[in-house]
Amino acid sequence: MNKSTASLECLQSAQALFFNSSDLDANRLRRVLARMCHAKTDWADIYLQQTISRAWVFDEGQIKTGSYSIDRGAGLRTVCGETSTLAYTDILSEPSLLDAASTVAKHRYLEQSNDAVILPLSAHHQPYAPVYDIHDPADNANTTKALELIQEADALARSIDPRVIDVTVTLQCETDSMLLYRLDGLLTGDIKPMVYLSINVLTMENGRKERATVGGGSRLGLDFFTKERLYKWASDAVSEALHNLHAYPAPVGVMPVVLGHGWPGILLHEAIGHGLESDFIRKGTSAFSDMLGQRIASPGVTVVDDGTIANARGSISIDDEGTPASRTTLIEDGILTGFMHDLTNARLLNEAPTGNGRRESFATLPLPRMTNTFMLAGSHTPEEIIRSVKYGIYASNFSGGQVDITNGKFVFAMSKAYLIENGKLTRPVRGAMLSGSGPEALKHIPMVGNDPALDDGTGQCSKEGQHIPVGVGMPTLRIDALTVGGTNHTEE
């Protein structure tokens, strides 16, 4: 099945899901939209959503918790200039939507817009296929498979090292379906699957304990979790916990830092990516405002946001405003070349939308958000980069951090790191915080590796209280003159 056929099938399935289970149809949505709008309305849309989730937690050799939930409703939005108004309901019926429409309409109603049409469904890139059975509690075979996966992950982690004293495995399965009707007549939809599994291990030696968590996810079904993938995650979790059992306190000071590939791209996401979202640019609150076309990074640094990567956690077929996902170059060879736009900010900035209008649910407004944001490959091997450092830190994993969007200053906790001495990895170190400025760090990247990688599918981004799945990534790279200091280490 080609991508065009797959996308049309997905859209038609979403349409059937919402229309067959309610009194709604395309004509009724058109009547609701007409009631929402008034003479000064710039934009309006109706967003129908159903999210079905199922999760299990396996701890101390048994299922500790299990959950199943359905969240279903509609969000009605109008936009006038810079002002967006939202009303939502968890009842999918014409009377309920008409009541919500009366809330968002601030001026006289229109009876029936002469311009209101329903455009035919159109094909677009489909980076994943719908998976309908991953959450079905009536599917005994599927439930059995999920429970077997959890137990297998637990057994693998326990078998790796006798110092593992406890394992907690979490498995989540979700199907997020949406149908959108817009002021321009577009009726479109999507069905997005998601699976995620994490392995948390507790190790102990000589009375000292350390934890570590590793896992991943994808827009696939349970077949994503192969035995090889589970073993790798279990091994990585045990390795990180044992690393910190034997690690020395990290040195303190300003020094070169080498970041490993993959998940350390979360630093790029937080310290740089948010500042390139167009709402911050338009309001002038980003550290990168008014810098389009200027050099903001070292030569060789190219950063993109790409929502079209097959099955990646941050990928989308269309965004939550109906714009097809795209690949947007943000920084090219060190030059700032683009921003991530939703419809509203694109209109206000006189730019084209990039497919980055995303929302957590029907009860929230769409915002310009990242999808999969990563740095492209350079020309150096990871070994060359490490050899170039006389004294510094190599960080292969982070556990969390925060950033100030207005100036790009960040603080991140390194969960697995080594001291670099005379071009070699020597002692494992722990308890270190990495801090600096995103705009400044971009200018001091003399070496970019040839080993680009996305993370394993764990990214969750928060903005204005909304949480959405994202992907991050980067090759190994060196940043000069970052501050290493503080501690985030706590013993169990």
Side-chain angles (χ1 to χ4, degrees):
M1 184 183 296
N2 61 43
K3 293 296 184 183
S4 295
T5 303
S7 67
L8 286 173
E9 180 182 299
C10 188
L11 300 184
Q12 290 164 350
S13 296
Q15 187 172 342
L17 171 68
F18 289 101
F19 288 170
N20 293 347
S21 60
S22 71
D23 66 349
L24 297 174
D25 58 28
N27 288 326
R28 288 188 170 101
L29 290 182
R30 183 164 54 190
R31 287 198 292 269
V32 172
L33 191 69
R35 175 168 291 194
M36 294 165 57
C37 298
H38 54 78
K40 295 183 180 180
T41 300
D42 293 315
W43 188 255
D45 53 36
I46 303 169
Y47 182 87
L48 309 180
Q49 183 185 32
Q50 174 180 281
T51 304
I52 302 179
S53 304
R54 200 173 186 199
W56 300 265
V57 176
F58 190 84
D59 189 23
E60 297 180 339
Q62 60 184 322
I63 297 291
K64 283 294 183 72
T65 62
S67 63
Y68 177 82
S69 66
I70 302 177
D71 192 20
R72 183 175 166 93
L76 287 68
R77 174 182 66 147
T78 59
V79 182
C80 301
E82 298 183 12
T83 302
S84 296
T85 304
L86 174 73
Y88 61 89
T89 174
D90 58 4
I91 300 173
L92 293 185
S93 69
E94 186 182 15
S96 181
L97 265 63
L98 286 171
D99 284 345
S102 300
T103 300
V104 297
K106 296 183 177 179
H107 299 275
R108 63 181 178 83
Y109 299 149
L110 301 178
E111 290 302 323
Q112 178 71 42
S113 171
N114 293 328
D115 298 325
V117 295
I118 302 293
L119 299 179
L121 296 177
S122 59
H124 49 262
H125 181 76
Q126 188 73 25
Y128 42 80
V131 181
Y132 298 101
D133 62 349
I134 57 175
H135 52 70
D136 187 357
D139 188 335
N140 292 329
N142 196 58
T143 300
T144 299
K145 184 175 183 178
L147 297 180
E148 288 175 348
L149 275 173
I150 295 171
Q151 294 177 62
E152 183 176 22
D154 176 87
L156 287 171
R158 292 180 184 276
S159 70
I160 291 170
D161 194 282
R163 289 167 289 185
V164 175
I165 61 172
D166 189 33
V167 178
T168 302
V169 181
T170 300
L171 175 61
Q172 300 171 337
C173 305
E174 179 181 286
T175 298
D176 184 20
S177 305
M178 61 85 88
L179 190 69
L180 180 76
Y181 181 44
R182 310 192 319 189
L183 184 62
D184 62 358
L186 180 68
L187 179 66
T188 188
D190 197 13
I191 298 177
K192 301 189 289 285
M194 182 72 75
V195 290
Y196 172 78
L197 184 143
S198 68
I199 303 172
N200 176 282
V201 301
L202 176 64
T203 59
M204 183 173 71
E205 185 175 27
N206 298 325
R208 181 173 162 188
K209 300 177 181 178
E210 286 285 350
R211 283 192 181 273
T213 302
V214 176
S218 177
R219 292 201 180 279
L220 288 168
L222 293 174
D223 290 340
F224 173 69
F225 301 115
T226 62
K227 184 170 184 177
E228 292 75 19
R229 184 167 275 124
L230 293 180
Y231 184 78
K232 177 185 181 301
W233 290 342
S235 299
D236 289 348
V238 173
S239 174
E240 183 174 311
L242 295 178
H243 168 98
N244 288 312
L245 274 177
H246 298 277
Y248 296 84
V252 175
V254 177
M255 63 190 72
V257 175
V258 176
L259 303 178
H261 70 173
W263 177 246
I266 188 64
L267 188 150
L268 185 75
H269 169 103
E270 293 288 358
I272 299 165
H274 279 298
L276 301 180
E277 292 167 340
S278 60
D279 51 349
F280 297 125
I281 295 296
R282 179 178 61 81
K283 296 172 185 177
T285 56
S286 168
F288 300 103
S289 295
D290 301 319
M291 297 188 71
L292 189 65
Q294 298 181 31
R295 176 167 297 283
I296 65 168
S298 300
V301 172
T302 297
V303 178
V304 302
D305 182 84
D306 189 349
T308 70
I309 300 172
N311 303 317
R313 180 174 172 85
S315 290
I316 51 176
S317 171
I318 53 175
D319 71 7
D320 294 320
E321 299 178 303
T323 305
S326 67
R327 180 183 176 98
T328 303
T329 300
L330 304 171
I331 303 171
E332 186 167 11
D333 198 23
I335 306 298
L336 179 59
T337 57
F339 304 115
M340 291 165 281
H341 295 287
D342 63 346
L343 286 174
T344 297
N345 287 283
R347 175 177 54 82
L348 293 170
L349 291 168
N350 196 28
E351 298 285 348
T354 57
N356 290 94
R358 306 186 65 189
R359 62 202 298 171
E360 181 179 17
S361 79
F362 64 87
T364 57
L365 286 167
L367 302 167
R369 307 289 299 272
M370 284 171 273
T371 56
N372 303 299
T373 310
F374 52 95
M375 186 182 296
L376 301 189
S379 59
H380 299 279
T381 67
E383 295 76 17
E384 284 180 290
I385 296 174
I386 292 171
R387 283 199 302 269
S388 74
V389 177
K390 184 176 181 180
Y391 184 85
I393 293 290
Y394 171 73
S396 62
N397 204 8
F398 289 123
S399 60
Q402 58 186 12
V403 63
D404 184 341
I405 300 298
T406 61
N407 55 30
K409 292 183 178 180
F410 59 82
V411 178
F412 278 88
M414 294 182 283
S415 59
K416 188 174 184 181
Y418 295 85
L419 188 65
I420 304 175
E421 296 178 289
N422 296 317
K424 295 181 180 180
L425 301 184
T426 56
R427 299 184 301 173
V429 296
R430 60 177 171 84
M433 303 297 290
L434 187 66
S435 62
S437 162
E440 285 302 311
L442 280 175
K443 300 173 185 176
H444 299 282
I445 303 178
M447 302 179 77
V448 179
N450 60 3
D451 59 339
L454 283 177
D455 73 296
D456 282 335
T458 63
Q460 191 80 354
C461 176
S462 178
K463 179 178 178 180
E464 295 188 18
Q466 296 190 42
H467 306 280
I468 60 169
V470 296
V472 302
M474 67 191 316
T476 299
L477 59 84
R478 188 181 106 200
I479 304 178
D480 291 335
L482 289 181
T483 300
V484 178
T487 180
N488 69 311
H489 178 72
T490 56
E491 293 190 7
E492 298 273 343

